[in-house]
């Protein structure tokens, strides 16, 4: 295996001394965040080190069974590229009135909302690890899957890694601004955060990238600005050429609906109330009436944060096998 | 220099969005529903006025509504 299985806190990393991604975790998360917080942070119960190590070994045994296999991940590549190609084709087809615009609007909204999932797998290099023949496809999927959201892959990957390393930290977690008191406010916030003067969504990401300041962050910042300008230029050109409805219903509106859906289900719902700082409390297990598919599998998001190498479609099965171990670690598994 | 120009463009994006997208969208929506522009304006003239002012409002206030 060429990757660490899971994300570790600094303290736990000392127990295991794993190389790789775990070494990227920056310190000061618990101390700094807790000092700034107005409320008490939730932590998993302190267990004896022997028990902890034993449970972790059991957890890892389960996780290993569900880790992404590039051969089984091809479906993500096929669906992403197919949907992207279809979306592009819809522009001339609707402009020439060969097909009506409303089914295209529904399709564009669908891929805007769901396209983040393959991109997310690519961010974690689950579609193809570097140095393998699948890596090219991994990067390609990442690049095209969120174009409809005007969300460049370089920025998405960097921000998502920071979210993992600093999950729920009010300052360091780029997604912390999605926090809201309840579901209705969370939907409203997804929209408020996108307002020109708001400190949320992509505006917050840009500020995070400026703060990080590494060459990768500068590239991501440049990509973001160029993609934003290019996309606006494309929208304006379409609109002024007499195809404002096409621009609106194939790109602009699906993007906004998709972003709100993603922000709610992938950020707010699994992390609410964002009061946990360690690996067993920074997400929650929850039940929703919309079910597994419409919630994009986020009810089992804890598995993703523990083992990002497990692909989204497998987190449900991994969760149920891991559930007794998670309960011993203090995770509230009662909803599912 | 290039970065500065891009930053300026992005700063004024709500206003540009108003005239670049909202204006033609307004005019084409009015044409679709066969609504005439008020005050003897053309539809695109009305769209530019409406979109430009709305975009400017968003630029100044930092929010669209």
């Amino acid at each position: 295996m060429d990757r660490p299985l899971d994300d570790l806190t600094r303290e736990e990393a000392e127990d295991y001394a794993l190389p790789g991604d775990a070494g990227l975790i920056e310190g000061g998360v618990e101390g700094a965040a807790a000092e700034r917080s107005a409320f008490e942070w939730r932590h998993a119960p302190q267990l004896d080190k022997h028990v902890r190590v034993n449970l972790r070994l059991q957890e890892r045994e389960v996780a290993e069974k569900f880790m992404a296999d590039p051969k089984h991940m091809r479906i993500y590549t096929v669906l992403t590229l197919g949907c992207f190609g279809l979306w592009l084709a819809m522009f001339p087809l609707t402009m020439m009135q060969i097909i009506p615009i409303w089914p295209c609007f529904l399709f564009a909204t669908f891929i805007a909302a769901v396209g983040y999932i393959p991109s997310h797998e690519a961010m974690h290099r689950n579609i193809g690890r570097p140095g393998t023949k699948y890596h090219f496809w991994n990067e390609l999927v990442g690049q095209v899957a969120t174009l409809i959201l005007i969300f460049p892959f370089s920025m998405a990957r960097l921000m998502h890694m920071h979210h993992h390393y600093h999950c729920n930290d009010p300052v360091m977690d780029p997604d912390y601004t999605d926090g809201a008191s309840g579901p209705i406010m969370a939907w409203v916030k997804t929209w408020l955060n996108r307002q020109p003067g708001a400190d949320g969504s992509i505006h917050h990401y840009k500020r995070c990238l400026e703060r990080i300041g590494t060459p990768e962050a500068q590239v991501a910042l440049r990509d973001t600005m160029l993609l934003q300008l290019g996309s606006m230029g494309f929208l304006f050109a379409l609109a002024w050429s007499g195809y404002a409805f096409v621009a609106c219903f194939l790109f602009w509106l699906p993007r906004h609906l998709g972003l709100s859906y993603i922000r709610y289900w992938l950020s707010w719902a699994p992390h609410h109330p964002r009061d946990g700082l360690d690996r067993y409390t920074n997400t929650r297990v929850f039940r929703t009436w919309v079910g597994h598919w419409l919630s994009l599998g986020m009810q089992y998001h804890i598995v993703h944060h523990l083992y990002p190498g497990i692909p989204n479609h497998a987190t449900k099965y991994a969760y149920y096998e891991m559930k007794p171990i998670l309960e011993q670690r203090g995770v509230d598994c009662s909803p599912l | 220099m290039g970065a500065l120009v891009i930053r300026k463009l992005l700063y004024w994006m709500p206003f540009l969005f108003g005239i670049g997208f909202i204006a033609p969208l307004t005019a084409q929506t009015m044409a679709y529903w066969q609504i005439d522009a008020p005050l003897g304006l053309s539809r695109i003239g009305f769209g530019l006025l409406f979109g430009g002012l709305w975009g400017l409002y968003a630029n100044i206030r930092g929010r669209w509504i």
Side-chain angles (χ1 to χ4, degrees):
Chain A
M1 183 165 292
D2 65 340
R3 64 186 302 174
L5 272 169
D6 50 5
D7 278 355
L8 302 171
T9 62
R10 169 166 288 205
E11 183 194 337
E12 288 162 331
E14 283 168 6
D15 287 349
Y16 298 91
L18 286 176
D21 289 353
L24 294 171
I25 297 168
E26 294 166 32
V29 172
E30 299 207 3
E35 280 162 24
R36 281 187 295 272
S37 172
F39 55 86
E40 198 169 324
W41 290 99
R42 194 158 44 96
H43 292 282
Q46 291 297 308
L47 299 171
D48 171 68
K49 183 177 175 182
H50 174 72
V51 176
R52 235 168 42 225
V53 170
N54 207 5
L55 286 173
R56 179 63 67 82
L57 289 173
Q58 291 176 44
E59 210 181 83
R60 290 164 64 93
E61 254 178 55
V62 175
E64 256 180 287
K65 290 194 275 181
F66 295 97
M67 294 301 273
D69 176 349
K71 291 187 186 69
H72 297 147
M73 297 298 284
R74 285 174 181 156
I75 187 70
Y76 284 85
T77 308
V78 171
L79 286 175
T80 303
L81 298 181
C83 286
F84 181 69
L86 203 53
W87 177 62
L88 286 183
M90 283 175 176
F91 284 91
L93 290 173
T94 49
M95 286 157 76
M96 290 186 278
Q97 297 184 332
I98 293 171
I99 50 175
I101 207 163
W102 66 266
C104 300
F105 163 64
L106 294 179
F107 177 77
T109 304
F110 170 76
I111 64 164
V114 176
Y116 190 85
I117 296 295
S119 166
H120 181 226
E121 297 301 333
M123 287 174 213
H124 289 289
R125 300 178 173 88
N126 288 346
I127 294 170
R129 300 291 293 163
T132 68
K133 65 178 179 180
Y134 302 103
H135 188 241
F136 167 79
W137 299 105
N138 184 84
E139 300 301 293
L140 185 63
V141 166
Q143 296 288 350
V144 305
T146 53
L147 277 182
I148 189 170
L149 298 173
I150 317 183
F151 209 59
F153 187 49
S154 52
M155 186 261 285
R157 175 181 267 163
L158 203 53
M159 289 297 91
H160 190 64
M161 293 301 120
H162 267 254
H163 163 66
H164 270 262
Y165 300 147
H166 303 291
C167 192
N168 291 353
D169 182 299
V171 175
M172 304 293 278
D173 182 352
D175 294 337
Y176 194 80
T177 54
D178 292 323
S181 55
I184 294 171
M185 271 314 295
W187 280 106
V188 173
K189 192 105 182 267
T190 64
W191 184 74
L192 289 177
N193 276 345
R194 289 198 300 276
Q195 297 303 298
D199 184 33
S201 194
I202 205 160
H203 311 300
H204 187 58
Y205 281 9
K206 284 202 267 188
R207 272 186 277 278
C208 285
L209 290 171
E210 278 171 1
R211 188 188 66 223
I212 294 164
T214 59
E216 291 83 8
Q218 283 166 3
V219 168
L221 200 55
R222 183 204 62 195
D223 291 351
T224 305
M225 291 197 288
L226 289 177
L227 186 61
Q228 280 186 314
L229 277 184
S231 304
M232 287 302 121
F234 177 66
L235 274 180
F236 298 171
L238 268 183
W240 276 94
S241 306
Y243 299 106
F245 289 163
V246 173
C248 182
F249 291 111
L250 255 60
F251 197 171
W252 181 78
L253 196 52
R255 171 180 181 264
H256 279 281
L257 294 172
L259 278 174
S260 284
Y261 199 82
I262 290 163
R263 287 277 164 201
Y264 180 85
W265 284 113
L266 273 73
S267 186
W268 182 83
H271 291 290
H272 181 68
R274 292 189 184 269
D275 64 350
L277 276 179
D278 60 46
R279 59 187 255 120
Y280 296 100
T281 60
N282 62 16
T283 58
R284 64 170 181 147
V285 178
F286 66 98
R287 181 186 289 275
T288 168
W289 63 271
V290 305
H292 177 68
W293 288 96
L294 283 178
S295 66
L296 305 173
M298 288 301 115
Q299 297 166 103
Y300 316 97
H301 197 56
I302 185 168
V303 173
H304 171 66
H305 268 259
L306 295 175
Y307 299 96
I310 298 177
N312 193 55
H313 65 266
T315 54
K316 177 181 179 179
Y317 308 102
Y319 168 78
Y320 284 113
E321 204 162 325
M322 220 179 267
K323 189 175 168 180
I325 307 164
L326 297 177
E327 281 173 331
Q328 288 183 68
R329 295 300 307 241
V331 176
D332 178 11
C333 295
S334 58
L336 290 167
Chain B
M1 182 62 188
L4 187 69
V5 172
I6 290 174
R7 276 174 196 277
K8 286 282 177 200
L9 277 173
L10 288 174
Y11 175 78
W12 286 104
M13 192 49 78
F15 174 67
L16 296 175
F17 188 81
I19 57 174
F21 183 67
I22 295 175
L25 182 65
T26 304
Q28 286 166 47
T29 304
M30 290 170 80
Y32 184 81
W33 293 104
Q34 295 179 327
I35 300 168
D36 291 325
L39 308 169
L41 290 168
S42 64
R43 283 169 180 149
I44 192 63
F46 176 75
L48 280 168
L49 197 65
F50 173 66
L53 286 175
W54 196 9
L56 204 56
Y57 171 86
N59 238 128
I60 293 165
R61 290 292 305 274
R63 53 195 297 172
W64 286 95
I65 295 173

